[in-house]
Amino acid sequence: MITFYPGPSKVYPQVAGYAQEAIQSGIVSQNHRSAGFMAVVEETIRLLHEKLAIPADYHIAFASSATECWEIIAQSLTVTSSLHPYGGAFGKKWMEYAHRIKPMILPGEADVLCVVQNETSNGTQVRMDTLAQFRREFTGLIAVDAVSSLGGLAFDWSLADVWFASVQKCLGLPAGLAVLIYSPNALRQAEIINDRQFYNSLLFVHENMEKNQTPYTPNGLGIYLLMKVLEQVPPIAEVDALVRQRAADWYRFLAEETDWRLLIENPEQRSDTVIAVQGSEEDIRAVKTAAQKTGITLGNGYGDWKSNTFRIANFPAIEDWEIEKLKTFLRRYVC
């Protein structure tokens, strides 16, 4: 079965071998404070900096999911409250989650601006020039949810203080691990707040990561697999060029060679990694069923668009021949 589901999505085929290697080598049975496991953590952090072009002074930690990163930001980095401009279901969920921890009083009192860079639910995207405008106009910390774009697109890391993503999308790995990237300014704010009462307090996490350790027993297999995938993938500039070219091809193909309608009409707002296609409920249901019979899984719609869209993941792990097979199916399919 070929999957274009936008998360959890296709895993790099090499991951099966990497998992076997991890078990046979015994690394997944090692204590998380052992020299062997600490070496894996150190190398994974080094590769993240190298392959994703993360600035040397930005810190990196691991979490279980992007949702846990929402919690860390609310508890450890938010003094009063956070501001959440959003255009989709996940941005709204982040706002609701954060405001249960630090309720919004007045928008002017917010000290963290929270932005979903790539909204998986509807295939929209906040581009770097918009983030640059936020950076110029907002004086507090900026936190970016990059769940469906980190590892697929190149970022100007200086435009935000916190970036985070789960690994089951553009990084081509199984779910269960997230990467949290934070600037010196974010660390200073954490030190001022001095939150140490929670399981995932950022200062406690940071102090352990400085020693190439995690505060508690981590997803050791996930970290090892991330290291191995980072070894195999090209630098982010090359991946970014591939993903953007494929996205342009997808949007041209859907507009010119099929009768389907794109959900997002404005090209400037369209995601490069998640493509949302709109139709009637009947047509959407029928095309997903027909695709499944040919061995292709299309992504369901989500939230307000659950029944009238399907989504196509445009992630690096998806291969050219798989894209061509889906295009051939869509050319022949009459809605």
Side-chain angles (χ1 to χ4, degrees):
M1 182 64 67
I2 300 170
T3 181
F4 287 88
Y5 213 93
S9 191
K10 182 186 176 182
V11 170
Y12 281 108
Q14 297 93 329
V15 167
Y18 297 153
Q20 185 176 20
E21 177 184 300
I23 293 169
Q24 291 176 341
S25 69
I27 191 68
V28 293
S29 301
Q30 290 189 15
N31 183 291
H32 67 288
R33 304 201 191 284
S34 67
F37 189 78
M38 288 163 58
V40 170
V41 171
E42 182 177 21
E43 179 63 4
T44 306
I45 298 299
R46 188 193 70 78
L47 285 166
L48 283 164
H49 279 286
E50 176 189 319
K51 291 298 181 76
L52 301 186
I54 299 170
D57 62 345
Y58 273 53
H59 309 283
I60 299 175
F62 298 119
S64 63
S65 66
T67 305
E68 185 182 3
C69 295
W70 292 352
E71 186 168 281
I72 291 170
I73 292 164
Q75 292 171 170
S76 295
L77 292 173
T78 306
V79 179
T80 55
S81 189
S82 50
L83 188 62
H84 297 254
Y86 66 86
F90 290 103
K92 183 179 181 182
K93 283 186 176 184
W94 186 7
M95 178 188 71
E96 293 169 346
Y97 194 102
H99 288 173
R100 285 198 295 269
I101 298 172
K102 294 286 179 69
M104 170 60 77
I105 302 173
L106 293 172
E109 295 182 356
D111 47 87
V112 182
L113 178 66
C114 298
V115 180
V116 176
Q117 190 275 327
N118 204 83
E119 178 56 70
T120 317
S121 67
N122 59 14
T124 55
Q125 182 174 198
V126 174
R127 298 184 182 272
M128 292 299 111
D129 56 352
T130 303
L131 274 179
Q133 182 179 349
F134 290 159
R135 190 54 129 178
R136 290 191 295 270
E137 296 176 354
F138 189 76
T139 58
L141 297 182
I142 297 179
V144 174
D145 180 323
V147 166
S148 52
S149 52
L150 189 143
L153 298 179
F155 302 142
D156 181 346
W157 299 99
S158 69
L159 298 180
D161 302 282
V162 184
W163 301 78
F164 60 90
S166 305
V167 301
Q168 70 268 19
K169 299 192 180 187
C170 282
L171 289 167
L173 287 162
L177 181 69
V179 178
L180 176 66
I181 302 155
Y182 50 104
S183 71
N185 284 340
L187 181 59
R188 279 192 288 273
Q189 180 131 318
E191 290 168 344
I192 291 169
I193 295 171
N194 197 30
D195 153 46
R196 294 179 179 274
Q197 63 180 319
F198 299 107
Y199 164 86
N200 51 13
S201 296
L202 183 58
L203 290 182
F204 185 39
V205 172
H206 176 78
E207 288 164 2
N208 279 270
M209 290 302 299
E210 285 289 275
K211 298 179 286 187
N212 296 313
Q213 296 179 1
T214 55
Y216 306 105
T217 304
N219 179 352
L221 177 59
I223 295 170
Y224 182 84
L225 295 178
L226 175 59
M227 179 187 74
K228 298 299 292 185
V229 163
L230 288 168
E231 289 175 349
Q232 81 174 45
V233 298
I236 192 62
E238 295 180 31
V239 178
D240 178 276
L242 173 67
V243 168
R244 290 184 190 277
Q245 182 58 57
R246 284 178 169 179
D249 290 344
W250 267 121
Y251 284 121
R252 183 205 58 76
F253 167 79
L254 289 163
E256 297 178 7
E257 298 188 44
T258 77
D259 294 327
W260 292 102
R261 303 190 310 276
L262 295 166
L263 176 63
I264 307 304
E265 295 182 358
N266 183 350
E268 291 299 309
Q269 296 177 341
R270 290 175 186 159
S271 166
D272 288 305
T273 58
V274 179
I275 294 145
V277 181
Q278 188 175 31
S280 69
E281 290 188 24
E282 181 181 1
D283 286 340
I284 294 296
R285 187 165 51 248
V287 72
K288 289 191 298 184
T289 299
Q292 196 78 15
K293 289 179 180 177
T294 67
I296 299 171
T297 298
L298 295 172
N300 293 333
Y302 192 93
D304 293 341
W305 304 276
K306 182 177 179 61
S307 59
N308 67 346
T309 62
F310 66 83
R311 294 173 296 163
I312 300 171
N314 182 36
F315 298 156
I318 297 169
E319 298 177 62
D320 289 340
W321 70 269
E322 294 172 311
I323 294 171
E324 286 307 312
K325 183 169 181 177
L326 177 53
K327 285 181 177 179
T328 298
F329 165 77
L330 290 173
R331 283 190 191 97
R332 296 172 178 170
Y333 185 85
V334 179
C335 58

